[in-house]
Amino acid sequence: MRPRHDGYPQAKVNYRAIAAYRYSWLVYRGPIPEGLTIDHLCRNRMCVNPAHLEPVPIAENLRRAVPYRHPLAGRKNQTHCKQGHPLAGDNLVVRCKGPDRRPVRTCLTCERAAWKRYRARKCEANAA
């Protein structure tokens, strides 16, 4: 078993690649009902335990997955940053970060302070 590009393991059955969790469901529970998809209740993509799998409609699977996959889903109602600054108006900046260019909400006050610390370290390193 080896993981696919999306982190889910795959198995080879009769020379065909199949998602390992789907194969586990087929072996231990039978065919997947029409119109349903398999959801990991444990939220561990590598898990193939049939007790941790549940057939659900695709819409339900996506609804459950949103806080885990979408970076803004769990934080879109966040009103203040970790330092207590308000995340609204001129203090809120949305930047695209990471290899997948996902949007990240950032506190402008904290971002400016981080840049000040960075520039101070660079000046100290150049002076030494």
Side-chain angles (χ1 to χ4, degrees):
M1 216 174 350
R2 61 191 173 109
R4 299 185 314 195
H5 69 281
D6 58 2
Y8 289 98
Q10 68 179 5
K12 291 244 179 171
V13 180
N14 296 332
Y15 303 103
R16 283 188 70 194
I18 182 173
Y21 67 94
R22 292 179 64 86
Y23 182 68
S24 173
W25 182 270
L26 291 169
V27 169
Y28 293 102
R29 299 280 179 98
I32 300 168
E34 187 71 32
L36 299 182
T37 187
I38 301 297
D39 185 25
H40 285 84
L41 298 175
C42 61
R43 297 289 166 236
N44 179 0
R45 290 181 177 191
M46 295 299 286
C47 179
V48 295
N49 184 346
H52 297 176
L53 304 173
E54 178 185 28
V56 295
I58 292 173
E60 176 65 14
N61 192 7
L62 291 173
R63 187 190 64 77
R64 290 177 180 178
V66 165
Y68 301 96
R69 289 192 188 153
H70 197 281
L72 296 182
R75 299 184 192 152
K76 66 181 174 187
N77 295 328
Q78 185 179 2
T79 58
H80 291 77
C81 74
K82 290 179 183 179
Q83 303 302 320
H85 305 122
L87 282 177
D90 292 339
N91 196 43
L92 174 66
V93 176
V94 179
R95 303 230 190 268
C96 293
K97 295 188 176 181
D100 54 352
R101 308 298 299 156
R102 67 176 190 265
V104 176
R105 295 169 42 138
T106 305
C107 169
L108 192 57
T109 305
C110 291
E111 191 175 83
R112 286 179 178 151
W115 272 106
K116 265 188 172 176
R117 290 190 303 271
Y118 171 76
R119 284 192 298 268
R121 280 195 317 268
K122 291 299 254 183
C123 286
E124 289 173 8
N126 289 337

